[in-house]
Amino acid sequence: MYQIVEQAGPKINEQMKPRWIQGNPPDVVYIDGDGTFTESLLVKNQQLMDITDWVKTAKNVDGEVIKDQLIGQPKLYDGKSYAIPLVFGVFGLWYDKALFKEKGWAVPTDWTSFLEANKQGLAFGVKPIIHQGQYPYYFIRNFMRQGFVTATPKITISSDPKMAARN
């Protein structure tokens, strides 16, 4: 019988950092958040276990092979798996349809028209993009990167925010 002790919270990366540095990481971990720990960094530092063989046959409680149920397959590092994708999400922006109609603004369909709509909004006194001021990595990871790629097609986007900044 295994005893599972959950450790979670908005500062979990900060709280767990000493364990990672000391080479005593948790047995099971959900890697997300501010980019303090990324899968690629943990693989590079040999802090994740090779689960290549396990993931090929691991089954869920219904007896189905887990990898066959995933939206995306595990990322491979030199042909080895160290993690399975757990969460997929969709991020979007909302706009005031009535205001756009009233002002005769076109709804953006690409990055260029998005920037133009922002200029129109600013000229009218509307702040085009607002953010709550916390967790900026959500904004950077799921919004700004798209603009970088659109504006600079030769850029390569990494799943690691620190790598994205270097690209």
Side-chain angles (χ1 to χ4, degrees):
M1 184 83 168
Y2 295 101
Q3 179 182 4
I4 297 173
V5 177
E6 178 187 13
Q7 295 177 326
K11 295 186 182 253
I12 191 63
N13 287 344
E14 186 179 315
Q15 293 165 347
M16 297 302 285
K17 192 172 186 176
R19 286 189 63 184
W20 287 100
I21 291 170
Q22 294 168 7
N24 182 29
D27 293 328
V28 178
V29 63
Y30 169 60
I31 303 168
D32 185 35
D34 63 4
T36 301
F37 301 107
T38 63
E39 183 179 321
S40 58
L41 176 66
L42 295 174
V43 169
K44 179 183 172 187
N45 291 336
Q46 300 177 348
Q47 293 186 301
L48 295 179
M49 182 173 74
D50 177 355
I51 60 170
T52 307
D53 292 333
W54 174 84
V55 83
K56 289 176 185 175
T57 59
K59 296 182 180 179
N60 64 19
V61 295
D62 296 324
E64 301 163 322
V65 176
I66 292 172
K67 72 177 182 72
D68 295 340
Q69 307 303 313
L70 299 173
I71 293 172
Q73 291 303 302
K75 185 173 181 178
L76 298 177
Y77 299 87
D78 294 325
K80 296 179 181 180
S81 298
Y82 294 88
I84 57 173
L86 176 64
V87 176
F88 285 87
V90 176
F91 289 82
L93 298 173
W94 291 264
Y95 71 100
D96 186 333
K97 188 175 183 178
L99 180 63
F100 270 64
K101 185 176 180 180
E102 174 189 326
K103 298 297 176 192
W105 299 337
V107 176
T109 57
D110 58 25
W111 188 250
T112 302
S113 60
F114 174 76
L115 292 177
E116 183 57 36
N118 282 301
K119 288 177 189 174
Q120 291 171 329
L122 282 170
F124 180 67
V126 173
K127 303 279 188 211
I129 299 290
I130 58 171
H131 189 266
Q132 87 284 21
Q134 293 184 337
Y135 315 114
Y137 40 88
Y138 290 123
F139 185 75
I140 292 168
R141 192 181 333 156
N142 299 298
F143 177 71
M144 290 185 69
R145 284 185 184 179
Q146 308 315 313
F148 296 149
V149 170
T150 304
T152 314
K154 293 180 182 177
I155 207 168
T156 301
I157 296 300
S158 167
S159 61
D160 178 343
K162 292 177 180 101
M163 286 301 295
R166 287 186 282 233
N167 283 338

